mmCIF file of all heavy atoms in Angstrom:
data_model
loop_
_atom_site.group_PDB
_atom_site.id
_atom_site.type_symbol
_atom_site.label_atom_id
_atom_site.label_comp_id
_atom_site.label_asym_id
_atom_site.label_seq_id
_atom_site.Cartn_x
_atom_site.Cartn_y
_atom_site.Cartn_z
ATOM 1 N N GLY A 76 -3.990 25.869 -4.254
ATOM 2 C CA GLY A 76 -4.044 27.125 -4.987
ATOM 3 C C GLY A 76 -3.327 28.214 -4.225
ATOM 4 O O GLY A 76 -3.064 28.074 -3.016
ATOM 5 N N GLY A 77 -2.934 29.271 -4.925
ATOM 6 C CA GLY A 77 -2.242 30.404 -4.292
ATOM 7 C C GLY A 77 -0.784 30.058 -4.054
ATOM 8 O O GLY A 77 -0.374 28.904 -4.045
ATOM 9 N N SER A 78 0.001 31.103 -3.824
ATOM 10 C CA SER A 78 1.450 30.904 -3.633
ATOM 11 C C SER A 78 1.823 30.441 -2.237
ATOM 12 O O SER A 78 2.704 29.623 -2.038
ATOM 13 C CB SER A 78 2.211 32.203 -3.917
ATOM 14 O OG SER A 78 2.232 32.456 -5.291
ATOM 15 N N HIS A 79 1.076 31.010 -1.230
ATOM 16 C CA HIS A 79 1.457 30.720 0.169
ATOM 17 C C HIS A 79 0.208 30.231 0.915
ATOM 18 O O HIS A 79 -0.854 30.803 0.747
ATOM 19 C CB HIS A 79 1.993 31.986 0.826
ATOM 20 C CG HIS A 79 3.106 32.594 0.041
ATOM 21 N ND1 HIS A 79 4.367 32.014 -0.031
ATOM 22 C CD2 HIS A 79 3.176 33.668 -0.778
ATOM 23 C CE1 HIS A 79 5.148 32.743 -0.804
ATOM 24 N NE2 HIS A 79 4.442 33.740 -1.279
ATOM 25 N N PRO A 80 0.308 29.168 1.677
ATOM 26 C CA PRO A 80 1.537 28.466 2.073
ATOM 27 C C PRO A 80 1.889 27.314 1.148
ATOM 28 O O PRO A 80 2.716 26.452 1.510
ATOM 29 C CB PRO A 80 1.184 27.916 3.441
ATOM 30 C CG PRO A 80 -0.275 27.586 3.357
ATOM 31 C CD PRO A 80 -0.860 28.632 2.445
ATOM 32 N N ALA A 81 1.308 27.273 -0.063
ATOM 33 C CA ALA A 81 1.588 26.124 -0.946
ATOM 34 C C ALA A 81 3.091 25.964 -1.209
ATOM 35 O O ALA A 81 3.629 24.862 -1.169
ATOM 36 C CB ALA A 81 0.836 26.305 -2.271
ATOM 37 N N TYR A 82 3.768 27.100 -1.418
ATOM 38 C CA TYR A 82 5.200 27.036 -1.713
ATOM 39 C C TYR A 82 5.981 26.457 -0.509
ATOM 40 O O TYR A 82 6.741 25.533 -0.660
ATOM 41 C CB TYR A 82 5.694 28.455 -2.047
ATOM 42 C CG TYR A 82 7.209 28.603 -1.987
ATOM 43 C CD1 TYR A 82 8.017 27.990 -2.907
ATOM 44 C CD2 TYR A 82 7.806 29.342 -0.965
ATOM 45 C CE1 TYR A 82 9.422 28.097 -2.839
ATOM 46 C CE2 TYR A 82 9.180 29.455 -0.900
ATOM 47 C CZ TYR A 82 9.958 28.839 -1.821
ATOM 48 O OH TYR A 82 11.320 28.931 -1.720
ATOM 49 N N GLU A 83 5.732 27.027 0.678
ATOM 50 C CA GLU A 83 6.500 26.587 1.858
ATOM 51 C C GLU A 83 6.235 25.098 2.156
ATOM 52 O O GLU A 83 7.135 24.346 2.461
ATOM 53 C CB GLU A 83 6.112 27.453 3.078
ATOM 54 C CG GLU A 83 6.582 28.885 3.027
ATOM 55 C CD GLU A 83 5.695 29.789 2.132
ATOM 56 O OE1 GLU A 83 4.659 29.360 1.641
ATOM 57 O OE2 GLU A 83 6.124 30.961 1.916
ATOM 58 N N LEU A 84 4.953 24.701 2.087
ATOM 59 C CA LEU A 84 4.598 23.297 2.397
ATOM 60 C C LEU A 84 5.204 22.336 1.354
ATOM 61 O O LEU A 84 5.657 21.249 1.681
ATOM 62 C CB LEU A 84 3.102 23.119 2.444
ATOM 63 C CG LEU A 84 2.405 23.814 3.645
ATOM 64 C CD1 LEU A 84 0.902 23.729 3.505
ATOM 65 C CD2 LEU A 84 2.859 23.166 4.961
ATOM 66 N N SER A 85 5.231 22.777 0.083
ATOM 67 C CA SER A 85 5.786 21.906 -0.955
ATOM 68 C C SER A 85 7.303 21.763 -0.772
ATOM 69 O O SER A 85 7.837 20.659 -0.880
ATOM 70 C CB SER A 85 5.491 22.506 -2.346
ATOM 71 O OG SER A 85 4.094 22.560 -2.541
ATOM 72 N N ILE A 86 7.986 22.863 -0.456
ATOM 73 C CA ILE A 86 9.425 22.814 -0.232
ATOM 74 C C ILE A 86 9.722 21.874 0.943
ATOM 75 O O ILE A 86 10.627 21.023 0.894
ATOM 76 C CB ILE A 86 10.005 24.237 0.055
ATOM 77 C CG1 ILE A 86 10.058 25.046 -1.237
ATOM 78 C CG2 ILE A 86 11.350 24.173 0.788
ATOM 79 C CD1 ILE A 86 11.240 24.720 -2.173
ATOM 80 N N GLU A 87 8.899 21.979 1.992
ATOM 81 C CA GLU A 87 9.126 21.143 3.189
ATOM 82 C C GLU A 87 8.906 19.669 2.843
ATOM 83 O O GLU A 87 9.711 18.820 3.229
ATOM 84 C CB GLU A 87 8.123 21.582 4.285
ATOM 85 C CG GLU A 87 8.406 21.071 5.653
ATOM 86 C CD GLU A 87 9.774 21.394 6.177
ATOM 87 O OE1 GLU A 87 10.292 22.494 5.932
ATOM 88 O OE2 GLU A 87 10.382 20.482 6.834
ATOM 89 N N ALA A 88 7.865 19.374 2.098
ATOM 90 C CA ALA A 88 7.591 17.972 1.728
ATOM 91 C C ALA A 88 8.696 17.412 0.843
ATOM 92 O O ALA A 88 9.189 16.310 1.084
ATOM 93 C CB ALA A 88 6.222 17.901 0.986
ATOM 94 N N LEU A 89 9.132 18.189 -0.128
ATOM 95 C CA LEU A 89 10.205 17.723 -1.044
ATOM 96 C C LEU A 89 11.505 17.497 -0.247
ATOM 97 O O LEU A 89 12.216 16.512 -0.447
ATOM 98 C CB LEU A 89 10.447 18.732 -2.167
ATOM 99 C CG LEU A 89 9.299 18.936 -3.164
ATOM 100 C CD1 LEU A 89 9.503 20.191 -3.996
ATOM 101 C CD2 LEU A 89 9.156 17.720 -4.092
ATOM 102 N N SER A 90 11.795 18.420 0.670
ATOM 103 C CA SER A 90 13.017 18.330 1.473
ATOM 104 C C SER A 90 13.008 17.053 2.355
ATOM 105 O O SER A 90 14.070 16.555 2.709
ATOM 106 C CB SER A 90 13.175 19.537 2.403
ATOM 107 O OG SER A 90 13.125 20.695 1.646
ATOM 108 N N ARG A 91 11.808 16.603 2.671
ATOM 109 C CA ARG A 91 11.710 15.378 3.496
ATOM 110 C C ARG A 91 11.569 14.126 2.614
ATOM 111 O O ARG A 91 11.136 13.090 3.078
ATOM 112 C CB ARG A 91 10.536 15.504 4.425
ATOM 113 C CG ARG A 91 10.724 16.620 5.449
ATOM 114 C CD ARG A 91 9.575 16.618 6.418
ATOM 115 N NE ARG A 91 9.606 17.756 7.317
ATOM 116 C CZ ARG A 91 9.111 17.678 8.525
ATOM 117 N NH1 ARG A 91 8.617 16.586 9.009
ATOM 118 N NH2 ARG A 91 9.128 18.783 9.301
ATOM 119 N N GLY A 92 11.844 14.264 1.311
ATOM 120 C CA GLY A 92 11.865 13.104 0.423
ATOM 121 C C GLY A 92 10.483 12.620 -0.019
ATOM 122 O O GLY A 92 10.331 11.461 -0.376
ATOM 123 N N LYS A 93 9.502 13.531 -0.001
ATOM 124 C CA LYS A 93 8.170 13.158 -0.486
ATOM 125 C C LYS A 93 7.978 13.796 -1.872
ATOM 126 O O LYS A 93 8.310 14.950 -2.072
ATOM 127 C CB LYS A 93 7.111 13.650 0.486
ATOM 128 C CG LYS A 93 7.246 13.081 1.901
ATOM 129 C CD LYS A 93 6.182 13.629 2.833
ATOM 130 C CE LYS A 93 6.503 13.389 4.307
ATOM 131 N NZ LYS A 93 6.686 12.015 4.735
ATOM 132 N N HIS A 94 7.400 13.022 -2.804
ATOM 133 C CA HIS A 94 7.037 13.596 -4.089
ATOM 134 C C HIS A 94 5.921 14.634 -3.898
ATOM 135 O O HIS A 94 5.089 14.469 -3.004
ATOM 136 C CB HIS A 94 6.486 12.529 -5.063
ATOM 137 C CG HIS A 94 7.383 11.353 -5.247
ATOM 138 N ND1 HIS A 94 8.576 11.447 -5.951
ATOM 139 C CD2 HIS A 94 7.254 10.033 -4.911
ATOM 140 C CE1 HIS A 94 9.127 10.251 -5.999
ATOM 141 N NE2 HIS A 94 8.369 9.378 -5.380
ATOM 142 N N VAL A 95 5.903 15.640 -4.757
ATOM 143 C CA VAL A 95 4.793 16.597 -4.746
ATOM 144 C C VAL A 95 4.243 16.717 -6.173
ATOM 145 O O VAL A 95 5.009 16.863 -7.111
ATOM 146 C CB VAL A 95 5.227 18.001 -4.228
ATOM 147 C CG1 VAL A 95 4.078 18.998 -4.316
ATOM 148 C CG2 VAL A 95 5.737 17.916 -2.772
ATOM 149 N N VAL A 96 2.935 16.579 -6.281
ATOM 150 C CA VAL A 96 2.270 16.835 -7.579
ATOM 151 C C VAL A 96 1.267 17.960 -7.350
ATOM 152 O O VAL A 96 0.718 18.086 -6.261
ATOM 153 C CB VAL A 96 1.565 15.561 -8.135
ATOM 154 C CG1 VAL A 96 2.557 14.421 -8.215
ATOM 155 C CG2 VAL A 96 0.366 15.170 -7.337
ATOM 156 N N THR A 97 1.044 18.782 -8.369
ATOM 157 C CA THR A 97 0.193 19.970 -8.145
ATOM 158 C C THR A 97 -0.616 20.378 -9.342
ATOM 159 O O THR A 97 -0.231 20.103 -10.478
ATOM 160 C CB THR A 97 1.071 21.161 -7.655
ATOM 161 O OG1 THR A 97 0.198 22.190 -7.259
ATOM 162 C CG2 THR A 97 1.961 21.668 -8.762
#
Side-chain angles (χ1 to χ4, degrees):
S78 286
H79 306 288
Y82 164 70
E83 291 78 8
L84 290 173
S85 299
I86 285 282
E87 193 57 38
L89 294 165
S90 305
R91 295 185 188 210
K93 301 179 195 303
H94 304 291
V95 176
V96 306
T97 189

